[in-house]
Amino acid sequence: MSMEDYDFLFKIVLIGNAGVGKTCLVRRFTQGLFPPGQGATIGVDFMIKTVEIKGEKVKLQIWDTAGQERFRSITQSYYRSANALILTYDITCEESFRCLPEWLREIEQYASNKVITVLVGNKIDLAEKREVSKQRAEEFSEAQNMYYLETSAKESDNVEKLFLDLACRLISEARQNTLVNNVASPLPGEGKSISYLTCCNFN
Amino acid sequence: MPSAPEGMNRTGNHQMIHPLLPTPSLWQTKVRDTIPARFAWPLFWNGDQFCWDLTWEEISECSSRRAMGVCGCCGALRPRYKRLVDNIFPEDPEDGLVKTNMEKLTFYALSAPEKLDRIGAYLSERLIRDVGRHRYGYVCIAMEALDQLLMACHCQSINLFVESFLKMVAKLLESEKSNLQILGTNSFVKFANIEEDTPSYHRSYDFFVSRFSEMCHSSHDELEIRTKIRMSGIKGLQGVVRKTVNDELQANIWDPQHMDKIVPSLLFNLQHAEEAESRSPSPLQATEKEKESPTELAERCLRELLGRAAYGNIKNAIKPVLIHLDNHSLWEPKTFAIRCFKIIMYSIQPQHSHLVIQQLLGHLDANSKSAATVRAGIVEVLSEAAVIAASGSVGPTVLEVFNTLLRQLRLSIDYELTGSYDCAVVSTKIIKEHEERMFQEAVIKTTGSFASTLPTYQRSEVMLFIMSKVPLPSLHHAIDAGKAGENRNRLTQIMLLKSLLQVSTGFQCSNMLTALPSSFLDRLLSAALMEDADLRLFVLEILISFIDRHGNRPKFSTISTINDISVLKLKVDKCSRQDTVFMKKHSQQLYRHIYLTSKEESNVQPHYEALYSMLALISIELANEEVVVDLIRLVLAVQEIAQINEDNLPVYNRCALYALGAAYLNLISQLTTVPAFCQHIHEVLETRQKEAPYLLPEDVFVEMPRLTKSLDHLVPEVFFRQSKISEVLGGSGYNSDRLSTPYIPQLTDEDRLSKRKSIGETISLQVEVESRNSPEKEERAPAEEITYETLKKAIVDSVAVEEQERERRRLVVEKFQKAPFEEIAAHCGARASLLQSKLNQIFEITIRPPPSPSGTITAAYGQPQNHSIPVYEMKFPDLCVY
């Protein structure tokens, strides 16, 4: 009955310090490329990718936010409607890891309480410059009850896995919820049942 | 002919298909592959006629009534609306919309509006498919068709059609292609301008707001495309605002979740004006100069948004602005912040402007510990905003506004003195003294601009408020001891007096008595503010700005003895009755202040200039005969200060006092226009010119004063003589008795006890203390030999008399303070009854009452008695006794 070109729609927001590779992760996933010398994101960036998981079409609306402090207020306004947050840090940058608690506080404050958060350590291709050990990150994510993954946008390591795993989790999460339609909040204009049930068909 | 969509079972209109029919996907695809569309609609036998124009449902209904076998030929059937829709698409997308077929579709949609939603659904289905297949030509055509349908059919049936329409716009906006994004936005904007009459409760614009805000931040590599996308984003936001703002049932655009996206996006574009313009415009852009830049568009959109904001929404709209300015640290160069708030203040509904001011004040408080430059920026913005909002800027909580500003001022003084934001914690930030100073100046300026928006009565209220905040030593307020405390007090006093001066400049009170109540004047003239040279000057300036109501002040800015004062073109009004009452009440205080101020050794030229202006302005604004007499006495007493020189003043101060006296007497003599008086003054001035030019303002009040070494051997002719003046003025009807009495400042209890304490309230009794028992003074010429004994005698005598007088006064005061109210009332009542009996006697003598005295009397006592009562019968009401 649905006229949509998807079965599920999820909003995913990427957050994390400036320069940890959020935009590159999204580009790699949605366009399959790694833009060298990617400039700082201004405000927010938007991408769409539809994937198929176990026969279900899942549309992922990905909002890539600027890490810079000066855009913090506008990026925060995007957390609220997110179904999932990808909290990214750079494994070669201790500072970006140390800022994580601060980010968690922001999530606590601005995001919905049902949001799924994934911790991502990016840039594993630069293993020789690693400053944050995997174990430390795992311990941290465990303590915070987060799913943890290490990726490389450059080598395309774990990038697909990150988004597909996330989509799977979102689907199962949505299924658990009896009101499936409400979780993937409908796009504007999706009148769904109302429009056709009330319409007279035969005259 | 467009091929059938794949997966028709997924996206088709399922409910159209009758359950008895075979699955549509099977036969539809099969049949349509073989029969061209225009022949796909077979003749259909419907009872007794052939129907060419049956809809799909009608056919399926018919077919269900008949045998299943008939359906074989129904396989080629396509609903008419689909056929019409398909026909608008040309073979080659380059050809554009097939106009004639579009007209047919429009006609059909208008005649059968109930089909509109299905047309929409089918169009959107096609469009989504075309987007997926990158057939952008068809996408554009579909959008054009949708726009035309939307325009043609804005009626109540639009509601369902809109669903599909918005889905298509969303689909286009999801695309990465900038062209499609812009196409979608343009359609959306067209849609936004349609007024719908039926609300749609379930429609949500979340995605649109998010996406348009994102587009406003576009960072596309190519400048031209980036500009286009950003403009599109702004237009889209404008559309969302237009669409939702008036409809309470729809998504509340004023919610923080939307405002936090919309407002920063607009500001972001507003802010990048310079950046975009500085890039060399390509020739293409130059030709399209008439087109707006994102900056202009953003400004227009912001204005529109704010103009629509109702009382309850202002806060949500302004908060993102403040946060944006914080985050992008835009308070410091402040030009942008000021620009923003100018836009806000000019576009917001005027009755709400005080809310903006309140929010700015709140923001200032929240930023108490930010750098001084940030605070200064906020305060400057406040000042600008206040001017624009004018009368609406302060709102219902007048004193709250000033309280906040004064609190910030005090905090800043603390920061400056302690060198940190927090006494307990060692602050990492270094406080720069000059930045704090700048901030303080900004606060003072802002206080002034707020005050200038207030009506007179509120202004004097504010002045009272500020005055009450000036730390003064008294019994109630223990003053901080120690050097630091004193320093702090002094700074606070200076800052507050500066604010007061700001508030009082341009203040034109018609009634001095209400503008300057005793509580205010007492504090302003208190001794604590006289010790410090800077404070003293501020006090004088404040007084001057109160007294000067005709803008005469600049004419007295330099002290001089001009021969003809008509060149000054003074504006003089006759002293009003209220002013006379004011002078009766407070003149002694003012004279005393002038007298004591002139005595101070730390005076410099500005002090003397201020004193001169003050004397001159009192003579112009507030003078009657009595005041003129008193002022002359006062100036003569000031001359005496220099002459006797009890305080061992330096030569400069003494010369300055002589010169001050000369200048003032020159002025007043010409104001009184008594020829003999003018004559005397002129003579003295001439003598001085010859014998002692260093006693004239022209020699004293210059950059390099030409002074003498000693003032010990002056001839008596260079002085103004009291006896002479009283003689010449007495001849013209001035009170020569009073004139011949030397002026002695009225002492207050404050002076008597100590300079640091004051007795709660001084009841100001208008008893002039005059030491008439010292006739020597009157006669005393400077050449006369004065022995120590005579002086001592004079002082002791006058003190004794004064003491007696004071004792008597104290008894009276005490009686009124301590005696029970009834007793005082009885005392007065007794007098009243005495008066009553006296009056009765008088009235009994006159046989007939005067014709209509009752009217005047009743009016005077405010008793609503209309019938006439003979005056003598009337009892004074008891109330009058009190």
Side-chain angles (χ1 to χ4, degrees):
Chain A
M1 149 106 205
S2 166
M3 284 178 52
E4 297 303 331
D5 52 347
Y6 56 84
D7 301 294
F8 290 100
L9 169 70
F10 297 116
K11 291 177 198 167
I12 299 172
V13 177
L14 277 93
I15 56 174
N17 272 21
V20 297
K22 296 182 291 296
T23 307
C24 290
L25 276 175
V26 178
R27 289 280 149 116
R28 170 58 80 187
F29 175 64
T30 57
Q31 299 169 337
L33 43 91
F34 178 76
Q38 172 71 36
T41 308
I42 301 172
V44 230
D45 209 355
F46 172 75
M47 290 280 160
I48 278 273
K49 171 111 176 172
T50 311
V51 292
E52 203 167 311
I53 292 171
K54 294 171 201 149
E56 310 258 26
K57 278 197 172 176
V58 181
K59 190 152 145 185
L60 300 176
Q61 228 181 55
I62 304 168
W63 299 92
D64 170 29
T65 66
Q68 289 172 334
E69 190 75 34
R70 63 195 178 114
F71 290 112
R72 205 49 59 83
S73 66
I74 183 151
T75 55
Q76 278 159 0
S77 67
Y78 281 83
Y79 297 2
R80 189 196 301 257
S81 54
N83 301 108
L85 293 170
I86 298 178
L87 177 52
T88 318
Y89 74 95
D90 177 357
I91 60 153
T92 68
C93 175
E94 170 76 24
E95 175 64 21
S96 71
F97 185 76
R98 258 190 280 130
C99 284
L100 292 180
E102 200 183 304
W103 284 104
L104 289 175
R105 264 198 302 281
E106 290 215 347
I107 294 172
E108 182 83 16
Q109 195 178 347
Y110 298 104
S112 110
N113 48 6
K114 280 184 269 172
V115 76
I116 294 174
T117 313
V118 183
L119 182 65
V120 171
N122 194 25
K123 305 197 188 176
I124 48 167
D125 48 299
L126 300 172
E128 72 280 4
K129 288 193 201 157
R130 188 187 267 273
E131 284 182 11
V132 185
S133 74
K134 188 168 183 178
Q135 194 198 349
R136 229 175 112 202
E138 272 169 353
E139 275 167 17
F140 179 78
S141 64
E142 224 161 275
Q144 300 294 335
N145 203 15
M146 283 186 294
Y147 179 64
Y148 176 68
L149 203 63
E150 292 200 339
T151 60
S152 163
K154 191 177 180 189
E155 307 291 335
S156 195
D157 277 353
N158 276 344
V159 177
E160 287 280 307
K161 182 174 159 51
L162 165 68
F163 285 96
L164 295 183
D165 282 1
L166 190 56
C168 285
R169 295 227 344 217
L170 283 166
I171 293 172
S172 60
E173 196 76 11
R175 287 244 167 80
Q176 271 174 24
N177 206 320
T178 43
L179 300 161
V180 178
N181 283 339
N182 288 358
V183 172
S185 49
L187 264 181
E190 266 180 74
K192 289 201 171 157
S193 49
I194 304 170
S195 44
Y196 296 104
L197 288 179
T198 54
C199 183
C200 308
N201 285 335
F202 301 105
N203 46 12
Chain B
M1 172 192 145
S3 62
E6 291 166 356
M8 208 43 194
N9 56 340
R10 157 156 244 107
T11 52
N13 265 338
H14 292 198
Q15 75 273 52
M16 293 179 201
I17 289 125
H18 196 272
L20 289 178
L21 289 175
T23 30
S25 62
L26 271 176
W27 52 249
Q28 267 190 349
T29 40
K30 208 190 325 178
V31 177
R32 289 197 38 219
D33 283 344
T34 53
I35 310 167
R38 66 195 63 176
F39 305 117
W41 199 247
L43 294 180
F44 198 91
W45 180 250
N46 182 17
D48 51 10
Q49 65 176 92
F50 287 104
C51 305
W52 291 90
D53 265 352
L54 286 181
T55 61
W56 177 245
E57 294 87 340
E58 286 162 330
I59 294 167
S60 52
E61 192 189 14
C62 287
S63 51
S64 68
R65 272 195 259 121
R66 285 151 189 267
M68 279 291 284
V70 188
C71 285
C73 72
C74 294
L77 297 182
R78 272 178 77 67
R80 186 173 182 206
Y81 72 90
K82 280 198 180 178
R83 199 159 44 102
L84 285 167
V85 168
D86 285 338
N87 285 344
I88 63 166
F89 292 94
E91 293 282 337
D92 179 7
E94 294 292 307
D95 297 345
L97 189 66
V98 183
K99 292 254 162 51
T100 46
N101 291 342
M102 185 62 214
E103 274 167 28
K104 282 183 194 158
L105 178 63
T106 312
F107 180 76
Y108 177 71
L110 282 173
S111 53
E114 72 280 355
K115 291 289 181 298
L116 201 52
D117 56 316
R118 261 177 247 167
I119 296 172
Y122 181 58
L123 260 173
S124 97
E125 177 195 311
R126 278 195 64 127
L127 180 123
I128 288 167
R129 198 179 60 212
D130 288 338
V131 170
R133 291 178 183 172
H134 306 284
R135 297 201 299 212
Y136 300 120
Y138 285 129
V139 172
C140 294
I141 291 168
M143 240 23 229
E144 198 182 335
L146 267 174
D147 286 349
Q148 289 197 14
L149 282 176
L150 206 57
M151 291 300 140
C153 311
H154 43 89
C155 54
Q156 54 273 48
S157 57
I158 203 179
N159 211 347
L160 297 173
F161 178 59
V162 167
E163 311 292 341
S164 340
F165 171 78
L166 288 178
K167 199 150 64 149
M168 275 180 275
V169 174
K171 183 72 191 176
L172 292 180
L173 289 178
E174 279 174 5
S175 160
E176 282 169 34
K177 297 269 182 244
S178 53
N179 287 342
L180 294 190
Q181 293 170 17
I182 294 168
L183 186 70
T185 314
N186 289 343
S187 287
F188 183 79
V189 170
K190 279 180 207 150
F191 160 70
N193 289 327
I194 297 173
E195 276 184 36
E196 288 173 273
D197 45 7
T198 36
S200 91
Y201 303 96
H202 52 277
R203 205 183 288 163
S204 143
Y205 292 97
D206 281 7
F207 174 74
F208 290 99
V209 173
S210 302
R211 179 60 168 156
F212 288 137
S213 300
E214 190 269 334
M215 283 165 72
C216 287
H217 289 90
S218 166
S219 50
H220 199 279
D221 297 332
E222 280 173 61
L223 177 67
E224 208 176 311
I225 296 175
R226 180 168 68 219
T227 310
K228 273 188 183 163
I229 296 179
R230 286 189 181 180
M231 299 255 282
S232 253
I234 301 167
K235 282 183 201 157
L237 286 178
Q238 193 172 26
V240 176
V241 171
R242 280 197 189 146
K243 198 73 207 161
T244 52
V245 85
N246 290 326
D247 196 344
E248 284 166 19
L249 293 169
Q250 289 192 357
N252 190 359
I253 200 74
W254 299 105
D255 278 347
Q257 79 178 97
H258 297 311
M259 277 294 134
D260 289 351
K261 292 187 185 108
I262 296 174
V263 174
S265 306
L266 296 178
L267 290 181
F268 178 77
N269 280 284
L270 200 59
Q271 170 193 343
H272 285 76
E274 301 81 26
E275 185 194 300
E277 276 161 24
S278 64
R279 304 258 173 89
S280 59
S282 66
L284 234 174
Q285 273 181 311
T287 54
E288 295 172 41
K289 202 65 197 168
E290 62 268 27
K291 272 198 175 174
E292 282 184 300
S293 69
T295 316
E296 288 161 22
L297 194 62
E299 182 177 332
R300 218 148 42 90
C301 184
L302 190 63
R303 283 179 189 278
E304 189 178 331
L305 178 74
L306 291 163
R308 288 163 186 256
Y311 182 86
N313 307 326
I314 302 279
K315 212 177 149 215
N316 286 347
I318 301 300
K319 194 150 179 262
V321 178
L322 297 173
I323 292 175
H324 182 87
L325 294 174
D326 280 350
N327 281 351
H328 292 249
S329 34
L330 291 167
W331 292 111
E332 203 171 323
K334 91 196 168 207
T335 35
F336 182 70
I338 288 178
R339 182 156 164 239
C340 279
F341 274 89
K342 274 191 173 159
I343 293 174
I344 292 173
M345 296 310 283
Y346 278 124
S347 39
I348 218 154
Q349 289 165 39
Q351 71 269 27
H352 299 149
S353 46
H354 72 271
L355 288 174
V356 180
I357 304 278
Q358 263 175 19
Q359 256 187 300
L360 272 169
L361 282 168
H363 197 68
L364 179 61
D365 268 350
N367 273 295
S368 290
K369 295 199 171 162
S370 306
T373 46
V374 170
R375 278 177 284 141
I378 301 175
V379 169
E380 297 256 349
V381 169
L382 258 173
S383 150
E384 297 279 338
V387 173
I388 296 168
S391 54
S393 68
V394 172
T397 52
V398 182
L399 292 183
E400 194 50 46
V401 171
F402 289 92
N403 197 19
T404 307
L405 288 172
L406 296 186
R407 185 172 57 236
Q408 289 298 329
L409 200 55
R410 265 205 308 278
L411 272 177
S412 167
I413 291 169
D414 277 356
Y415 294 158
E416 189 187 329
L417 291 176
T418 57
S420 79
Y421 291 116
D422 206 326
C423 299
V425 185
V426 180
S427 169
T428 50
K429 292 179 203 160
I430 305 152
I431 292 187
K432 292 182 189 128
E433 220 170 274
H434 70 275
E435 285 180 354
E436 288 297 335
R437 281 283 157 90
M438 264 169 54
F439 171 69
Q440 289 158 14
E441 291 301 325
V443 172
I444 290 168
K445 186 182 144 220
T446 308
T447 315
S449 43
F450 268 111
S452 62
T453 66
L454 293 176
T456 315
Y457 73 97
Q458 278 187 332
R459 240 201 207 194
S460 52
E461 207 172 291
V462 166
M463 286 188 277
L464 266 175
F465 179 73
I466 298 177
M467 197 65 225
S468 73
K469 294 267 172 188
V470 176
L472 289 178
S474 78
L475 290 180
H476 309 297
H477 287 278
I479 219 109
D480 299 335
K483 186 114 176 71
E486 229 163 74
N487 198 4
R488 194 186 140 180
N489 265 330
R490 189 179 159 264
L491 264 177
T492 317
Q493 284 168 346
I494 287 186
M495 290 303 160
L496 289 176
L497 286 182
K498 261 192 184 173
S499 324
L500 202 55
L501 185 58
Q502 275 283 341
V503 174
S504 62
T505 34
F507 176 70
Q508 304 234 325
C509 56
S510 53
N511 188 348
M512 295 281 283
L513 205 54
T514 48
L516 287 176
S518 321
S519 53
F520 179 81
L521 215 53
D522 287 347
R523 288 183 75 89
L524 185 63
L525 300 180
S526 87
L529 298 180
M530 214 188 281
E531 284 161 29
D532 185 278
D534 292 343
L535 290 173
R536 204 156 58 226
L537 191 59
F538 280 128
V539 171
L540 285 176
E541 294 287 351
I542 291 166
L543 284 170
I544 288 169
S545 68
F546 272 114
I547 296 171
D548 179 28
R549 287 166 299 179
H550 294 91
N552 287 323
R553 158 87 222 234
K555 293 161 190 164
F556 300 112
S557 53
T558 51
I559 310 178
S560 62
T561 53
I562 34 174
N563 290 326
D564 186 5
I565 59 160
S566 61
V567 297
L568 292 178
K569 296 197 179 68
L570 296 174
K571 273 184 235 159
V572 187
D573 268 356
K574 207 183 166 313
C575 174
S576 71
R577 216 180 62 83
Q578 286 104 325
D579 291 349
T580 317
V581 176
F582 171 79
M583 281 312 271
K584 271 225 169 70
K585 213 171 158 193
H586 297 296
S587 59
Q588 292 304 323
Q589 254 178 309
L590 289 175
Y591 302 153
R592 179 175 170 275
H593 189 81
I594 295 172
Y595 182 80
L596 293 178
T597 305
S598 354
K599 266 170 101 168
E600 292 289 338
E601 195 183 325
S602 54
N603 284 347
V604 287
Q605 190 172 337
H607 290 88
Y608 295 112
E609 282 165 358
L611 282 168
Y612 175 65
S613 304
M614 174 112 164
L615 285 167
L617 289 169
I618 294 177
S619 325
I620 290 174
E621 295 277 347
L622 303 168
N624 53 19
E625 220 171 85
E626 197 184 323
V627 173
V628 169
V629 168
D630 281 348
L631 284 171
I632 293 171
R633 289 170 59 218
L634 172 63
V635 171
L636 289 170
V638 167
Q639 176 181 266
E640 208 160 286
I641 296 173
Q643 223 172 327
I644 300 172
N645 197 15
E646 277 175 325
D647 302 330
N648 275 324
L649 293 173
V651 173
Y652 172 78
N653 292 45
R654 291 171 67 191
C655 288
L657 290 179
Y658 282 124
L660 175 67
Y664 178 70
L665 286 171
N666 177 54
L667 176 78
I668 195 78
S669 70
Q670 294 187 45
L671 282 175
T672 53
T673 63
V674 176
F677 185 29
C678 294
Q679 178 75 26
H680 171 65
I681 304 297
H682 193 66
E683 274 165 17
V684 174
L685 289 180
E686 290 223 311
T687 322
R688 283 194 184 182
Q689 196 71 53
K690 277 188 222 130
E691 307 277 330
Y694 45 83
L695 299 184
L696 288 172
E698 284 76 6
D699 272 31
V700 178
F701 300 118
V702 286
E703 220 166 288
M704 298 290 290
R706 294 176 284 277
L707 300 176
T708 174
K709 287 235 163 54
S710 154
L711 292 168
D712 293 339
H713 307 289
L714 293 170
V715 288
E717 283 77 27
V718 300
F719 301 117
F720 302 100
R721 285 195 311 281
Q722 186 136 24
S723 52
K724 177 80 180 168
I725 292 174
S726 73
E727 184 192 314
V728 292
L729 281 179
S732 304
Y734 287 85
N735 184 347
S736 63
D737 266 3
R738 201 179 167 90
L739 257 175
S740 54
T741 324
Y743 170 80
I744 287 179
Q746 178 193 17
L747 292 175
T748 62
D749 292 341
E750 197 184 5
D751 296 312
R752 197 156 275 274
L753 287 166
S754 91
K755 282 202 163 183
R756 288 266 163 213
K757 283 181 200 160
S758 77
I759 277 187
E761 288 161 47
T762 352
I763 290 189
S764 94
L765 286 180
Q766 299 304 313
V767 183
E768 257 244 86
V769 187
E770 288 170 1
S771 50
R772 285 168 189 278
N773 288 16
S774 51
E776 301 99 308
K777 279 192 176 175
E778 237 177 278
E779 301 297 323
R780 189 174 54 208
E784 194 182 22
E785 208 179 289
I786 305 160
T787 62
Y788 175 70
E789 280 305 311
T790 49
L791 269 178
K792 189 180 168 193
K793 194 167 158 252
I795 291 164
V796 169
D797 270 0
S798 67
V799 167
V801 171
E802 213 181 292
E803 203 67 71
Q804 280 175 10
E805 185 70 18
R806 183 160 289 280
E807 197 52 40
R808 198 178 64 78
R809 229 169 77 186
R810 188 164 299 150
L811 279 175
V812 173
V813 170
E814 223 161 76
K815 190 178 165 190
F816 274 90
Q817 276 179 337
K818 289 187 181 159
F821 178 68
E822 290 77 17
E823 198 176 296
I824 300 170
H827 175 77
C828 299
R831 278 198 201 170
S833 60
L834 196 73
L835 177 70
Q836 181 79 46
S837 63
K838 274 274 190 293
L839 282 172
N840 281 343
Q841 276 177 17
I842 295 164
F843 289 136
E844 270 161 31
I845 296 165
T846 52
I847 301 165
R848 279 175 191 278
S852 65
S854 58
T856 56
I857 287 188
T858 49
Y861 289 100
Q863 295 274 347
Q865 287 171 308
N866 290 328
H867 55 279
S868 173
I869 302 173
V871 172
Y872 59 87
E873 279 179 1
M874 206 180 69
K875 286 262 185 234
F876 283 109
D878 280 350
L879 263 176
C880 295
V881 170
Y882 306 134

